[in-house]
C-alpha cells in the first residue's frame, strides 16, 4: 500500500513547478537563508526571545509567513504564540529548518502567552503542535506556491506590507499569518474598512433569499461600497452577482471573495464563472496557499476574516445552526455592526436570522438600511415607501385632521345630506361642518347640489357612462 505524503494527507496537494532563473522568489529564498545564517540560531531559541535585531528583508518575512500558512491550520493559536515569542522568521526556521526540541522555557513562554489570551494550553502542548507542523515541511513547495500565485496575477501579503488591511489586526491571536490574493487590484488600492460590508447566508437559499441578496449586492455596490462574501452557493453567490451588475467604470472594487482553500482552483466548481468575474473586477483572498483543499474547519475559520474585513455584516438567510451565524458572532465579538433580513416565521431558512434580530441585530430591508447600519446617513430618514413593493398612490385624506375625518365619515356615498344632518352625524357644530365642506370641495373629496352634500366618488368607483 502506497504511503500518502504528509502534505497530501493534510489537504495540501503539491506538484513540482519549473524553476524561474534569477527570479524574485529565488532571491527572497536566498535572503531567508542568509538571514538565518547571520543569527545565533541555537542561542535565539534557548533565550526565548527575538534576540539581537538584524535587518530582515520583507521578502524573507513574506516567505516565512507563507511557510507558516502552509504548516499551521488557520486560527492555530499555538503557531501565533510561537511567532510572538520567537519572531516570524525564527519561528519558521525553528519549525522547518531544524530538529531542535521544544525546551521547557519555550513551552513555558508560549503557555503563559496563551493563558494571557484566554486560551487553555494544557489541552495541547507546543511539542505536539511542532511535531504536526514538521510533518508538513516542504520549503520548495512554499517557494513554488509563491511563484504560482504570482503567475495567477496575485501575491502574498503580510502585516508589514503596504495595503495590509489593518482591521485584520483586531483578530489578535487569531489574525492570519498572511493573505494570498489574486485579482484586478493591488493591495494598496483595496477599499478601506468603512467602505466594506459582508453579505452572508445559507447555501440552500430560498427564492426569496436569493432575490433579497442580489438586490442588496446591487444596491450596496451602487452606493460605491464593496460587498464581501465567501463565494459559496446561495446567498454568497447572489450577493457577489448583484454587486457585479453595477456598471460604473469608476468603481474599481464592487466585490471581494474570501475563500477557504487555495486560489489556484475555483471552489465550488459550479461558481467558477462567478469567481473568474470576481478576479476580473475585484479580488479573491485566502489565508491558505495554492494547493490547499477547502475543509469544514477552514470554512469556519474563513468566516472570521470576512467579519474582520468589514465595517458591518448582514445575514440574509440562515438556518438555526447555519455556518453564516459564525460570521455574525465574529462580527459582534469584533465590535462590528450586525444586521439581519427577516423572513417568514415558518421558513427553516429564516430561523437563524430571526434569532439574530431577537438578540439585537438591526433589521435590514434594503441597501439603504445597510448604509445606515454602516453609519452612512447622508441626511437620510427612512420612510415606509422606500421599498418598491410598499409604494402606493397617496390618498387625499391621508393628512386630514381628526375633525375632517369625522366629517368625511358622515358624508353619504349615495344620496345627499344637508349641513344640519351632517352636524348631527359628525358631532361637529355647523361652523366646523361648513369649514370642512369648503376644504373637501377644494380637495375633490365632496360635491354639492342645491345646498346638499355627498362624498365625491373616486375615479375607480364611478359608474361608467353609457
Amino acid at each position: 500500500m502506497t504511503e500518502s505524503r504528509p502534505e497530501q494527507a493534510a489537504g495540501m496537494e503539491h506538484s513540482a513547478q519549473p524553476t524561474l532563473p534569477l527570479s524574485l522568489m529565488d532571491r527572497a529564498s536566498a535572503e531567508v537563508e542568509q538571514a538565518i545564517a547571520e543569527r545565533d540560531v541555537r542561542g535565539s531559541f534557548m533565550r526565548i526571545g527575538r534576540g539581537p535585531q538584524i535587518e530582515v528583508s520583507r521578502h524573507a518575512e513574506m516567505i516565512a509567513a507563507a511557510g507558516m500558512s502552509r504548516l499551521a491550520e488557520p486560527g492555530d493559536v499555538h503557531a501565533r504564540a510561537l511567532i510572538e515569542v520567537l519572531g516570524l522568521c525564527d519561528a519558521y526556521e525553528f519549525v522547518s529548518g531544524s530538529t531542535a526540541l521544544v525546551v521547557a522555557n519555550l513551552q513555558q513562554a508560549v503557555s503563559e502567552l496563551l493563558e494571557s489570551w484566554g486560551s487553555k494550553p494544557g489541552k495541547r502542548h507546543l511539542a505536539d503542535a511542532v511535531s504536526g507542523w514538521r510533518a508538513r515541511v516542504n520549503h520548495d513547495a512554499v517557494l513554488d506556491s509563491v511563484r504560482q500565485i504570482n503567475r495567477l496575477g496575485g501575491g502574498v501579503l503580510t502585516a508589514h506590507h503596504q495595503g495590509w488591511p489593518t482591521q485584520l489586526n483586531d483578530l489578535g491571536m487569531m489574525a492570519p499569518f498572511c493573505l494570498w490574493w489574486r485579482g484586478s487590484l493591488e493591495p494598496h488600492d483595496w477599499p478601506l474598512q468603512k467602505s466594506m460590508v459582508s453579505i452572508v447566508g445559507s447555501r440552500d437559499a430560498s427564492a426569496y433569499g436569493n432575490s433579497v441578496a442580489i438586490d442588496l449586492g446591487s444596491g450596496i455596490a451602487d452606493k460605491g461600497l464593496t460587498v464581501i462574501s465567501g463565494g459559496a452557493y446561495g446567498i454568497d453567490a447572489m450577493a457577489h452577482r448583484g454587486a457585479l451588475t453595477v456598471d460604473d467604470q469608476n468603481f474599481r472594487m464592487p466585490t471581494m471573495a474570501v475563500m477557504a482553500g487555495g486560489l489556484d482552483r475555483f471552489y465550488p466548481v459550479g461558481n467558477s464563472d462567478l469567481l473568474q468575474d470576481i478576479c476580473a473586477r475585484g479580488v479573491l483572498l485566502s489565508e491558505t496557499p495554492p494547493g490547499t483543499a477547502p475543509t469544514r474547519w477552514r470554512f469556519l475559520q474563513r468566516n472570521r476574516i470576512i467579519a474582520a474585513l468589514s465595517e458591518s455584516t448582514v445575514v440574509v438567510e440562515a438556518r438555526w445552526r447555519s455556518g453564516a451565524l459564525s460570521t455574525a458572532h465574529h462580527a459582534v465579538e469584533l465590535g462590528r455592526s450586525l444586521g439581519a433580513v427577516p423572513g417568514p416565521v415558518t421558513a427553516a431558512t429564516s430561523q437563524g436570522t430571526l434569532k439574530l434580530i431577537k438578540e439585537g441585530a438591526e433589521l435590514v430591508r434594503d441597501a439603504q438600511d445597510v448604509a445606515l447600519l454602516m453609519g452612512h446617513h447622508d441626511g437620510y430618514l427612512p420612510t415606509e415607501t422606500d421599498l418598491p413593493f410598499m409604494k402606493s398612490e397617496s390618498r387625499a385624506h391621508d393628512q386630514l385632521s381628526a375633525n375632517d375625518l369625522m366629517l368625511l365619515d358622515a358624508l353619504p356615498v349615495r344620496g345627499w345630506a344637508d349641513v344640519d344632518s351632517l352636524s348631527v352625524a359628525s358631532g361637529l357644530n355647523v361652523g366646523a361642518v361648513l369649514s370642512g365642506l369648503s376644504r373637501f370641495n377644494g380637495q375633490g373629496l365632496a360635491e354639492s347640489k342645491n345646498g346638499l352634500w355627498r362624498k365625491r366618488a373616486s375615479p375607480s368607483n364611478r359608474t361608467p357612462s353609457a
Side-chain angles (χ1 to χ4, degrees), residues 370-451:
V370 177
L372 288 172
L373 183 68
M374 298 176 70
H376 299 201
H377 297 279
D378 298 328
Y380 166 83
L381 291 176
T383 69
E384 69 171 353
T385 57
D386 287 333
L387 296 173
F389 63 82
M390 293 181 66
K391 292 184 177 180
S392 59
E393 294 182 4
S394 60
R395 297 170 296 182
H397 63 269
D398 282 346
Q399 306 301 320
L400 294 182
S401 67
N403 283 353
D404 282 357
L405 282 173
M406 289 188 290
L407 177 58
L408 189 64
D409 287 341
L411 283 168
V413 176
R414 300 182 181 84
W416 300 83
D418 59 25
V419 171
D420 289 335
S421 60
L422 289 173
S423 175
V424 173
S426 66
L428 303 174
N429 60 43
V430 172
V433 170
L434 290 172
S435 178
L437 291 173
S438 177
R439 287 190 293 275
F440 290 171
N441 190 46
Q443 296 168 352
L445 295 176
E447 57 184 344
S448 63
K449 177 182 177 181
N450 299 325

Side-chain angles (χ1 to χ4, degrees), residues 285-347:
L285 296 178
S286 178
E287 63 179 313
T288 61
T292 305
T295 62
R296 181 181 295 274
W297 172 257
R298 292 165 190 163
F299 274 114
L300 287 173
Q301 289 300 304
R302 174 272 305 270
N303 292 341
R304 79 192 196 285
I305 295 180
I306 293 177
L309 285 170
S310 310
E311 182 75 13
S312 303
T313 291
V314 176
V315 183
V316 176
E317 266 189 338
R319 292 178 178 271
W320 188 259
R321 296 185 182 278
S322 170
L325 297 184
S326 73
T327 309
H329 295 150
H330 283 302
V332 172
E333 290 171 358
L334 291 166
R336 312 293 198 253
S337 54
L338 176 65
V341 176
V345 296
T346 55

Side-chain angles (χ1 to χ4, degrees), residues 38 69 219 236 297 300 368 372:
E38 291 174 356
S69 75
D236 288 17
W297 172 257
L300 287 173
Q368 188 61 59
L372 288 172

Side-chain angles (χ1 to χ4, degrees), residues 217 221 225-228 240 243-244 246 251-256 281-282:
L225 304 173
T226 297
V227 174
I228 300 179
H240 289 305
L244 290 169
V246 175
F251 186 27
R252 304 174 67 189
M253 177 79 83
T255 191
M256 177 183 289
R281 294 189 59 196

Side-chain angles (χ1 to χ4, degrees), residues 61 81 101 296 365 439:
E61 181 186 71
L101 298 176
R296 181 181 295 274
R365 305 170 301 168
R439 287 190 293 275

Side-chain angles (χ1 to χ4, degrees), residues 32 36 41 45 88-98 134:
V32 172
I36 292 170
V41 175
F45 296 148
L88 179 57
C89 289
D90 272 346
Y92 180 58
E93 166 59 14
F94 175 69
V95 177
S96 67
S98 76
R134 283 178 174 164

